[in-house]
Amino acid sequence: MPERIAVTKTYKLYIGGAFPRSESGRVHPVHDARGRFLANAAQASRKDLRDAVAAARKAFDGWSGATAYNRGQVLFRVAEMLEGRREQFIAETAAVEDLSVEGATAAVDTAIDRMVWYAGWTDKITTVLGTTNPVAGPYFSFSVPEPTGVVGALAPRQSSLLGLLSVVAPVIAAGNTCVVVAGDRALPAITLSEVLATSDLPGGVINLLTGHVAELAPWLATHADVNALDLTGAPETLRPELERSASETVKRVLPVGRGEPDWTREPSLKRLRTFTETKTVWHPVGT
């Protein structure tokens, strides 16, 4: 019997709920932590990024206008789908992060639990972050959190699934839509896009691009229709330039420290709070 030639898989982008090829036709290899070839991934271009932002903007009204309870149901459904492909995520996480099976299992299980955690927060954000303001006059005054809009996120470079979900989940839980740029350890992120496509998440709420962060991040930072930016996965040498570019269109930028956070720690409300805007409403009492 002749030796079988393996069928090499070439993954596509995930934009607007569909899987298009990059308009440039480019692909790049994805390797495991030891340099062994795993698959080919589409190498997104500036045009692909513009398409992803347009898809996120188009999806924003429907997603932000859905009830908080419904958003929680959708996030929980994503967690169910992640659980169903748990073994695949464990294998891919172990490969790209050079983890033992036990270590990869712990990371994947924590990632699924993280999605459930944020699913439970969707209908509690207004209660916790909103307030009734005391005023000296015949008025009611309420401050309520609202979604920021379209959020651009650079996926963490070290934690391929747990870190990615820790970045993306609070963005959509708060009612935003997002464009995510995945870097070198992209295989779990690509598989996540397949999960999202078969879940109840509307197309365009999460858009995932694969390619070179240094190529795409500057265009994401300067895009006028992106309202906020998460620079967690940006190289430290690139962050000051991206922050300056974001300031030109008055984007909200999530402050990040040196290195990456410890994704295994219990999450806080910081990311939920960062990607909301506070609207204060005054209403007269009586007639």
Side-chain angles (χ1 to χ4, degrees):
M1 292 288 291
E3 184 178 351
R4 181 179 179 273
I5 299 175
V7 178
T8 302
K9 187 165 184 177
T10 299
Y11 291 95
K12 301 177 185 178
L13 307 173
Y14 182 59
I15 300 175
F19 291 94
R21 294 180 174 85
S22 171
E23 61 83 28
S24 66
R26 299 178 300 174
V27 298
H28 71 284
V30 177
H31 298 95
D32 68 10
R34 303 184 184 185
R36 293 172 296 197
F37 176 80
L38 295 175
N40 290 311
Q43 185 173 329
S45 67
R46 179 186 178 186
K47 173 63 165 57
D48 297 317
L49 188 143
R50 292 202 306 266
D51 291 344
V53 173
R57 177 59 62 190
K58 182 178 180 181
F60 175 72
D61 287 343
W63 182 244
S64 62
T67 65
Y69 179 73
N70 179 248
R71 286 200 297 270
Q73 288 179 308
V74 173
L75 265 66
F76 190 81
R77 176 59 179 163
V78 173
E80 290 179 334
M81 301 290 287
L82 290 167
E83 187 77 37
R85 298 181 69 167
R86 178 172 173 268
E87 298 303 320
Q88 180 180 358
F89 279 113
I90 289 172
E92 292 176 352
T93 301
V96 300
E97 297 183 29
D98 199 20
L99 297 175
S100 65
V101 174
E102 293 76 13
T105 299
V108 171
D109 287 347
T110 304
I112 297 170
D113 293 346
R114 187 66 40 86
M115 181 61 75
V116 174
W117 192 86
Y118 280 110
W121 266 102
T122 57
D123 58 355
K124 301 172 183 65
I125 298 171
T126 300
T127 303
V128 174
L129 301 184
T131 185
T132 301
N133 305 309
V135 292
Y139 301 98
F140 291 120
S141 179
F142 305 97
S143 293
V144 293
E146 291 192 340
T148 295
V150 176
V151 178
L154 304 179
R157 290 177 290 167
Q158 303 301 321
S159 183
S160 58
L161 182 66
L162 174 56
L164 175 62
L165 286 177
S166 298
V167 165
V168 171
V171 170
I172 63 172
N176 303 287
T177 57
C178 67
V179 175
V180 186
V181 178
D184 297 331
R185 298 179 172 180
L187 195 53
I190 295 169
T191 302
L192 174 63
S193 70
E194 296 178 346
V195 167
L196 299 176
T198 53
S199 70
D200 296 330
L201 192 74
V205 174
I206 296 177
N207 304 274
L208 196 141
L209 305 176
T210 51
H212 300 314
V213 173
E215 176 185 354
L216 298 173
W219 300 116
L220 192 62
T222 57
H223 198 299
D225 209 20
V226 175
N227 304 106
L229 203 58
D230 184 341
L231 299 179
T232 299
E236 292 184 11
T237 55
L238 194 59
R239 287 177 184 175
E241 176 189 341
L242 296 176
E243 290 178 359
R244 284 192 296 270
S245 298
S247 68
E248 295 176 2
T249 48
V250 202
K251 288 180 176 58
R252 175 170 292 195
V253 178
L254 176 71
V256 292
R258 297 178 63 86
E260 286 188 14
D262 179 2
W263 300 112
T264 62
R265 295 183 62 182
E266 179 129 352
S268 67
L269 297 184
K270 177 182 177 181
R271 290 179 178 273
L272 285 171
R273 183 179 289 110
T274 297
F275 298 120
T276 58
E277 307 285 346
T278 300
K279 181 177 76 173
T280 299
V281 179
W282 295 72
H283 193 281
V285 176
T287 57

